[in-house]
Amino acid sequence: MTLPGYQTYSPPAPPRRSTLARSSQVLGIAGLVGLVLCLVGMIPALVGVVLGAVSLVRREGDRRPAIVGVVCSSLALAVGAAALFVLLSKAAQCGDETRYPDDTSRRNCVEREFPFAQADRT
């Protein structure tokens, strides 16, 4: 019971935290780091974009982690797509039979364009 003119004290509510927003942020950062590992980071980045977009649409709690997650995930997807495009265009160039008619010349092209993918010949 309170006296007239007085109000009871209620502590402020803690800020609402969104699990989807935090997950999006973590997956976006993991996607950027994962690009180093043969473009594996594109998978968590794709999931991060989806989770961040869902969190933003639902207008859950703290929006900052969702925005960071969407931006990092989108950046990881853009960089990964560009790298994948460059690698596939080089592979298609080496597979062109009019430019490289025999197997040896195509193999030399692959070794020249992809020095990191040297196969052991035994």
Side-chain angles (χ1 to χ4, degrees):
M1 180 169 152
T2 60
L3 296 174
Y6 291 96
Q7 294 180 349
T8 60
Y9 172 74
S10 59
R16 292 179 48 205
R17 299 196 195 277
S18 172
T19 305
L20 290 174
R22 293 283 176 202
S23 300
S24 172
Q25 182 179 14
V26 168
L27 288 171
I29 294 170
L32 284 173
V33 173
L35 287 177
V36 177
L37 302 171
C38 295
L39 304 176
V40 172
M42 291 181 70
I43 296 168
L46 184 62
V47 176
V49 166
V50 171
L51 291 179
V54 168
S55 176
L56 288 172
V57 167
R58 288 185 182 176
R59 299 189 185 278
E60 294 180 349
D62 192 13
R63 296 171 52 95
R64 186 174 297 146
I67 293 170
V68 169
V70 168
V71 168
C72 287
S73 296
S74 300
L75 182 64
L77 285 174
V79 169
L84 192 61
F85 177 77
V86 168
L87 290 173
L88 288 177
S89 65
K90 285 184 178 184
Q93 178 186 3
C94 289
D96 186 14
E97 291 182 357
T98 57
R99 182 178 279 178
Y100 303 104
D102 60 346
D103 210 24
T104 307
S105 62
R106 283 193 295 273
R107 185 175 300 125
N108 289 337
C109 175
V110 169
E111 289 175 358
R112 182 180 66 249
E113 294 293 331
F114 304 102
F116 51 85
Q118 295 292 326
D120 293 334
R121 294 184 188 165
T122 52

